[in-house]
Structure formats: C-alpha cells, structure tokens
Amino acid sequence: MDNKDIIETNKKYWNEHADLWFGTTALPEYGVYFPTEDDLHLFGDIRGKNMLEICCGSGHSLLYNAERGAGELWGIDLSQKQLNTAQALLKENGYSANLLCAKMEDELDVPKDYFDYVYSIYGIGWTTDLQGTLNKIASYLKKDGTFIFSWHHTLNYCIAWSCKDRRVVVDDNKLVMSKSYFDESYFKMPVHDSEIVLCNRKISTYINALAKAGFFVEQLIEASDDTALNSEGELDLKAQKAKMLPLSFCIKARKM
Ligand SMILES: C[S@@+](CC[C@H](N)C(=O)[O-])C[C@H]1O[C@@H](n2cnc3c(N)ncnc32)[C@H](O)[C@@H]1O
C-alpha cells in the first residue's frame, strides 16, 4: 500500500466511525491507564496562548484548553465528520476554533512561527511521514514553543497475552513478545466492521526525528497510572498489562 492508500483507508474509517470515539482520547487523558494532565502538568499556564491541535478529533481537548483560558484555538483533522462534531461541541459550550480539514503530512494553511503550543493526543502516530510532519509542526511554533504529544507505546503492540486457539490466555499471567520491536512496517488492523492501517515506530525513531526537526526533548513519560499499578484482584486485561509495561508514551519538546 502506498501512503495515499493508507491515508484514504484511515480517512474512510474515521469518517464512518467517528461517533464511536466521541471524547475518548482527549485531554486531560493522554492514554488508557496513563497519568493525566492533572497529574503531569505538562501544559502549565496556557491563558492567552495560541494553540494548534493536530488530529483534533471530536474537539474535547480543544474544549479542555478553552476552559483553561487559552487564546486562539486551531485544530486540524483528516475527517470532516470529526471536525463537524468538534465545531458543534465547542459552539454548545460557547467557544469557537479555526478548524481545518487537512492531512497533517501536508503544508497546513496555518500561520508560521505563531503558536505557543502544538499538541496531539493519540494523533501523531497516524502520520505516513513522521519527519515531514515534525518539521512542519516546528515551523508553526514560535521559538521556544512547546510541542506535546501522546501515542501508543511501541511495546504495547509488540507484547501480547499468550494466545491459544486465537483466544487470549491469561491463567498463567504470561505476556509474550509477539512482534519485533524493530519492525516498523505498516500493518492492517481490523476495527469494528472496517480496518485501519498503522505502523509501530520505535521510541528512538520519534526521539531522533524530533531532534532532526529542531526540538529539544524536555520529558519522555513512560508510565502507568496508580489505578493499574496499585489495584489488586480482578483487573481488566489492559490494566493487567499496564501493571507490567506502559501502554502509552508522552513527549514534551521545545522548539529551539
Ligand atoms: C484517536 S483520534 C484523536 C482524537 C482526539 N484526540 C480527540 O480529542 O478527539 C485520531 C484522529 O486522527 C485523525 N487522523 C488520522 N490520520 C490523520 C492524518 N494523516 N492527518 C490528520 N488527521 C488524521 C482521525 O481523523 C482522528 O480524528
């Protein structure tokens, strides 16, 4: 599959299934069983700051920042369906944002050297051109501007519960390495009655691409939250996994 086909497949999925993800991966959450913005305080005081969200989805993170006094709000997403939802959500709550239907891989019609913050919650990993996307994000930020993003932790896709007859086996409480950490090739994943196409990039791939784009990495967070770490007894499978490895990671970087 070439990049164009990958993007079209993912766009189709999001336009047809956006409603199933209403507000599910949005601030203050960075990921499932992962510390939240209330724990991490990565953004700090955002009052009056210009903010751009990449892959803004249903608009819940934009709303979160609006309620904290952000200045201009901008959001981009591949899916017009998602943007319509975001616009309605913001309007319902008395806010508005500049929303653009675009691919993050493209040169966006947004001002350069303008934003105090660019951020993305479970969005950046969808890009088919990591280096190009990060270079562009750097160009939208002011000098010393902040870029924050979260995504699936690479190990989450590599490590699975033991599987017998295609059924997850948890009785022996064992996780197995089911995919190579070094494998960054694209794979199709069935979701609902459809499919998406993703790849699983190494953490070093993200860090090196950020450095090349002119970012200084201030924090890399690999963690699970207290709910997963401290709970005893019956836990769902994700929580059991989160006791042993981070399901997500989050990076805070500064444009130099
Ligand atoms: C997991 S959702 C993010 C949800 C968002 N954090 C929220 O608050 O709703 C991922 C989003 O990325 C968008 N997306 C996927 N590939 C994209 C691309 N190449 N360029 C721009 N947006 C993309 C999808 O349309 C979807 O809305």
Side-chain angles (χ1 to χ4, degrees):
M1 257 182 150
D2 64 16
N3 289 353
K4 198 167 158 273
D5 292 334
I6 292 170
I7 291 170
E8 278 312 308
T9 305
N10 292 338
K11 183 176 181 173
K12 182 171 181 298
Y13 173 81
W14 281 105
N15 276 330
E16 289 173 0
H17 297 85
D19 292 344
L20 299 174
W21 298 96
F22 185 70
T24 51
T25 39
L27 289 172
E29 312 283 329
Y30 284 109
V32 180
Y33 293 119
F34 193 82
T36 67
E37 172 59 12
D38 299 334
D39 306 312
L40 298 171
H41 306 291
L42 298 180
F43 279 83
D45 184 1
I46 58 164
R47 280 174 298 173
K49 303 294 185 191
N50 294 341
M51 315 199 82
L52 167 63
E53 179 168 2
I54 307 290
C55 304
C56 64
S58 53
H60 287 78
S61 298
L62 286 167
L63 176 61
Y64 177 85
N65 284 327
E67 286 172 339
R68 271 146 199 83
E72 277 183 35
L73 291 170
W74 294 64
I76 75 110
D77 201 284
L78 181 66
S79 158
Q80 187 57 51
K81 178 80 176 21
Q82 288 280 59
L83 293 175
N84 294 346
T85 307
Q87 191 176 27
L89 178 80
L90 290 166
K91 194 172 169 203
E92 241 165 59
N93 287 277
Y95 300 106
S96 65
N98 297 297
L99 299 175
L100 307 175
C101 189
K103 304 192 273 288
M104 67 184 130
E105 292 88 342
D106 289 347
E107 193 66 54
L108 301 175
D109 189 15
V110 306
K112 294 241 168 97
D113 299 310
Y114 187 73
F115 294 95
D116 300 288
Y117 292 84
V118 176
Y119 66 95
S120 188
I121 313 302
Y122 265 68
I124 294 299
W126 292 97
T127 186
T128 52
D129 174 14
L130 182 65
Q131 191 63 61
T133 300
L134 296 183
N135 292 346
K136 289 182 181 86
I137 287 172
S139 75
Y140 311 139
L141 278 165
K142 293 176 184 169
K143 183 176 178 320
D144 291 326
T146 298
F147 175 42
I148 296 170
F149 74 97
S150 67
W151 185 248
H152 297 280
H153 197 287
T154 316
L155 286 176
N156 189 23
Y157 279 136
C158 292
I159 296 180
W161 291 105
S162 334
C163 210
K164 205 184 263 173
D165 306 328
R166 304 185 70 200
R167 291 177 53 181
V168 172
V169 179
V170 288
D171 297 353
D172 57 358
N173 215 23
K174 276 196 182 114
L175 287 164
V176 295
M177 194 83 179
S178 59
K179 179 173 163 50
S180 165
Y181 184 81
F182 304 113
D183 180 3
E184 297 193 317
S185 59
Y186 282 89
F187 57 92
K188 285 186 184 172
M189 192 196 279
V191 191
H192 306 114
D193 55 349
S194 183
E195 65 178 14
I196 54 174
V197 185
L198 285 175
C199 69
N200 196 29
R201 298 183 176 96
K202 294 178 291 182
I203 297 293
S204 56
T205 299
Y206 286 101
I207 300 287
N208 292 330
L210 283 164
K212 206 168 166 190
F215 284 103
F216 173 82
V217 174
E218 292 187 344
Q219 286 192 62
L220 161 61
I221 297 131
E222 295 179 294
S224 291
D225 69 5
D226 289 345
T227 309
L229 293 176
N230 300 333
S231 45
E232 301 288 339
E234 285 294 297
L235 291 178
D236 68 41
L237 288 181
K238 276 191 182 161
Q240 290 185 52
K241 207 174 172 189
K243 271 194 134 169
M244 293 185 255
L245 59 121
L247 304 186
S248 306
F249 73 97
C250 182
I251 288 182
K252 177 179 181 182
R254 182 165 43 82
K255 176 181 170 179
M256 291 190 294

